[in-house]
């Protein structure tokens, strides 16, 4: 069992930066691939970024590629999402998720086995 707690959300001006963190409980964090998803009001949850359990592979949605960076620290049982050059369309609740899958299907929410409760990111113009 893994419990995930996101933090780092908040209000930021367009063009600014935020770093989200997701702290995990449990002894097997290093064996999970981790992902970030987001959901804006009235929209479906969408993939943002994912990182394999070895951190050897990272994946990004086209909309965030070049602006967001996912990383993990297995010793701290934490995954991060550095978000730069934020845009109004990045405003959403951001969710952290853990998956047993090493590589397959990491862009799809149904691949993930555990989810955090989310953290709000608000971008102002």
């Amino acid at each position: 069992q893994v419990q995930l707690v996101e933090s780092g959300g908040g209000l930021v001006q367009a063009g600014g930066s935020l770093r989200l963190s997701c702290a995990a409980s449990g002894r097997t964090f290093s064996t999970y691939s981790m992902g970030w998803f987001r959901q804006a009001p009235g929209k479906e949850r969408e993939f943002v970024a994912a990182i394999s359990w070895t951190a050897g592979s990272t994946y990004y949605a086209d909309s965030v590629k070049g602006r967001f960076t996912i990383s993990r620290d297995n010793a701290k049982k934490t995954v991060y999402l550095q978000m730069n050059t934020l845009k109004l369309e990045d405003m959403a609740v951001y969710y952290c998720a853990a998956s047993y899958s090493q590589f397959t299907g990491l862009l799809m929410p149904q691949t993930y086995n555990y989810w955090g409760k989310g953290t709000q990111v608000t971008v102002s113009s």
Side-chain angles (χ1 to χ4, degrees), residues 10-54:
L11 174 64
V12 63
Q13 281 192 325
S17 298
L18 280 176
R19 188 175 83 154
L20 305 183
S21 299
C22 173
S25 65
R27 292 177 289 180
T28 58
F29 174 77
S30 61
T31 64
Y32 290 94
S33 294
M34 301 296 296
W36 287 96
F37 289 77
R38 66 187 182 188
Q39 188 166 18
K43 294 188 177 181
E44 292 186 355
R45 191 168 297 190
E46 65 172 355
F47 170 77
V48 175
I51 187 166
S52 64
W53 65 283
T54 62

Side-chain angles (χ1 to χ4, degrees), residues 4 6 22 33-37 95-99 112-116:
L4 304 171
E6 303 95 336
C22 173
S33 294
M34 301 296 296
W36 287 96
F37 289 77
Y95 297 90
C96 170
S99 172
Y112 290 80
N113 305 96
Y114 303 100
W115 290 84

Side-chain angles (χ1 to χ4, degrees), residues 50-120:
I51 187 166
S52 64
W53 65 283
T54 62
S57 297
T58 56
Y59 310 86
Y60 295 95
D62 287 343
S63 59
V64 307
K65 204 170 290 183
R67 299 188 298 122
F68 291 10
T69 302
I70 188 171
S71 61
R72 66 189 296 163
D73 185 333
N74 286 342
K76 294 183 178 179
K77 297 182 182 179
T78 302
V79 62
Y80 304 97
L81 185 68
Q82 178 67 44
M83 305 186 295
N84 298 328
T85 319
L86 282 160
K87 304 177 180 180
L88 292 176
E89 51 263 43
D90 294 320
M91 186 161 55
V93 177
Y94 282 71
Y95 297 90
C96 170
S99 172
Y100 295 124
S101 174
Q102 297 307 306
F103 302 104
T104 305
L106 293 181
L107 277 63
M108 299 183 294
Q110 55 265 40
T111 302
Y112 290 80
N113 305 96
Y114 303 100
W115 290 84
K117 294 184 178 181
T119 185
Q120 175 71 48

